[in-house]
Amino acid sequence: MIQLFKNVNIDWLANRRIFIGISILLMLAGLASAVIRQAVPGGTDAFNLRVDFKGGTVITARFLKERPSEETIRSRFAQQGVRDAIIQPTDKPDVVLIKVPRLENTANKTQSAPPPQAQAPPQSPTAQTQPSPGQGAQGQQQQTQAEVDPGVLKVRQALDTFGAKDDAYRIESTEAVGEVAGKQLRIKAISVTLAALIGILLYIAFRFEWTYGAAAVIAVFHDVLVTLGIFSIMQWEISLTVIAALLTLVGFSVNDTIVVFDRIRENLRLHRRDSLYKVTNDSINQTLSRTVITSGLVFLSVLAMVLFGGEVLRGFSLALLIGIVFGTYSSVAIASPIMVWWQQRIDASKSRMTPTGASGRTTGQPARARKAKAGGGVVNQPQLKV
């Protein structure tokens, strides 16, 4: 194995309060951004959700002449009755993303509503509960079409105020999603992320100990919260590809944490006289070269995606870039200190609860410490305070 760093002797756990303080500040900044944006009247949402999640219409428009300002475009939409339109510039000076929330199709409602005098004759319960074959699917399709078409129509009406189509502007692409589909996607995205965290906890608890699993899940949860907080602060768009990136960084962060935990378990067997504090520091130092090489190569690959991947991959690559940085950071600065602190609390609790035998020997002392003392060694177990 290639060793970039040899004879590294860094006391990582001594700086645990600085590391945890940085993480708390980042998470609080993301929380404050989400709460303030949601609470301020007329402000933006906590997260810049794509149309996939909240329903509505997203149109990519290219202005063939001079592009109007964002305020001008927004005012033209307000004149058409769309007051919540979001105008987002892109890396191309003549292209804008126009996001319109789901609009009610009042025209269809007026046309489809029967007059008060003309009421349909009553039907039997059997006729009401047995629709014709294919009627349910056709009705859902018509409902979805009725929900999303008004947004496209309003956008085109507002853009027509700048000039004729194909003369003043051109519509590059159109995406429309109904409210029901967006809500289902949000629920599924949250469920998949929570299921991944539960699976990780169970696997690491079975493979190592439950304290290791809990520390790893806390570190992964930290990575996801920091990434979402930065997305809220910068108001980067969250789409299905961003959710895929979050699940990817969950696996990447856990993989790096497991490598460190596996080295800790191996060193505990080889160096029974050393304290868990010292073994953890040594294990992090021993795997530092592997961590830097693996994370560095992935970081360079994702950085290329950020710089040259274009607008389509922008959210996915940004989420991966942030996740790789903080996933590597959390393996060293979050998961390991939490595991050591938790394990020491458990050992201390067991020592206090176990009675002292007649010979004066404490039978509840941790097994590793008893073996070390039996061999003549002294175990120095620094108490970690977080």
Side-chain angles (χ1 to χ4, degrees):
M1 179 179 175
I2 301 176
Q3 292 288 337
L4 294 180
F5 310 103
K6 296 182 179 179
N7 300 324
V8 182
N9 189 21
I10 302 175
D11 192 352
W12 298 97
L13 297 182
N15 300 315
R16 62 193 177 277
R17 293 185 178 178
I18 297 176
F19 295 144
I20 295 177
I22 293 173
S23 298
I24 292 176
L25 287 177
L26 289 173
M27 288 188 288
L28 288 178
L31 178 63
S33 172
V35 171
I36 292 174
R37 291 181 187 278
Q38 195 72 28
V40 173
T44 59
D45 293 334
F47 296 99
N48 183 15
L49 297 177
R50 192 175 173 84
V51 66
D52 305 341
F53 293 110
K54 60 183 181 181
T57 305
V58 175
I59 290 182
T60 304
R62 180 187 296 274
F63 288 91
L64 303 180
K65 299 178 181 179
E66 183 180 359
R67 195 195 80 178
S69 64
E70 298 176 24
E71 291 298 329
T72 303
I73 299 175
R74 193 175 291 108
S75 65
R76 298 294 177 90
F77 274 85
Q79 293 174 5
Q80 298 297 325
V82 182
R83 303 189 180 278
D84 295 330
I86 299 176
I87 312 301
Q88 181 177 340
T90 64
D91 52 356
K92 299 179 182 179
D94 56 343
V95 178
V96 294
L97 290 178
I98 303 172
K99 302 179 184 180
V100 179
R102 187 181 65 88
L103 301 176
E104 295 292 341
N105 196 345
T106 55
N108 286 353
K109 285 185 177 181
T110 305
Q111 294 175 1
S112 60
Q117 295 81 4
Q119 295 182 357
Q123 299 178 353
S124 62
T126 306
Q128 293 179 357
T129 57
Q130 294 181 355
S132 60
Q135 183 178 358
Q138 184 178 3
Q140 291 180 357
Q141 183 178 3
Q142 291 177 355
Q143 181 182 4
T144 303
Q145 190 73 11
E147 287 179 353
V148 299
D149 280 350
V152 179
L153 181 61
K154 289 290 185 180
V155 170
R156 289 178 179 174
Q157 290 175 353
L159 292 177
D160 285 339
T161 60
F162 295 101
K165 185 181 179 182
D166 296 329
D167 181 28
Y169 71 93
R170 183 170 63 245
I171 294 179
E172 300 287 334
S173 63
T174 302
E175 298 180 26
V177 177
E179 184 181 17
V180 175
K183 184 177 181 180
Q184 291 177 349
L185 288 174
R186 288 199 305 269
I187 295 174
K188 289 182 179 180
I190 296 174
S191 301
V192 167
T193 305
L194 293 178
L197 293 177
I198 294 173
I200 290 168
L201 174 62
L202 295 177
Y203 169 76
I204 299 181
F206 172 77
R207 193 70 177 83
F208 295 88
E209 293 182 11
W210 72 269
T211 52
Y212 289 72
V217 169
I218 292 173
V220 171
F221 201 64
H222 155 272
D223 301 338
V224 174
L225 288 180
V226 170
T227 304
L228 289 177
I230 294 177
F231 266 74
S232 176
I233 294 172
M234 304 303 297
Q235 280 294 288
W236 290 331
E237 192 175 58
I238 298 180
S239 61
L240 288 176
T241 57
V242 174
I243 301 301
L246 291 177
L247 294 176
T248 303
L249 75 89
V250 164
F252 181 87
S253 175
V254 168
N255 177 69
D256 199 29
T257 303
I258 287 179
V259 170
V260 177
F261 283 174
D262 187 64
R263 182 60 61 91
I264 293 174
R265 182 176 59 178
E266 180 182 350
N267 286 335
L268 284 175
R269 296 172 180 172
L270 296 176
H271 308 283
R272 296 179 179 272
R273 299 182 181 182
D274 293 337
S275 66
L276 182 60
Y277 184 100
K278 183 178 185 304
V279 168
T280 302
N281 271 326
D282 293 342
S283 301
I284 295 174
N285 291 326
Q286 291 169 8
T287 57
L288 188 61
S289 295
R290 182 262 177 202
T291 300
V292 171
I293 292 174
T294 304
S295 302
L297 291 177
V298 177
F299 177 85
L300 293 177
S301 302
V302 176
L303 182 62
M305 292 175 58
V306 173
L307 297 177
F308 308 110
E311 193 69 27
V312 176
L313 296 176
R314 184 62 52 82
F316 177 80
S317 55
L318 283 173
L320 274 184
L321 189 71
I322 298 171
I324 287 169
V325 172
F326 285 98
T328 305
Y329 161 84
S330 66
S331 299
V332 175
I334 303 298
S336 297
I338 289 177
M339 183 274 297
V340 174
W341 174 81
W342 210 326
Q343 192 64 44
Q344 288 181 346
R345 300 283 79 75
I346 293 175
D347 291 344
S349 177
K350 289 181 179 179
S351 299
R352 289 194 301 267
M353 294 177 62
T354 305
T356 303
S359 59
R361 182 171 58 88
T362 303
T363 58
Q365 194 175 12
R368 186 166 53 85
R370 294 200 304 269
K371 291 181 180 179
K373 288 188 176 182
V378 178
V379 176
N380 183 18
Q381 189 87 310
Q383 291 299 315
L384 205 60
K385 296 181 180 179
V386 178

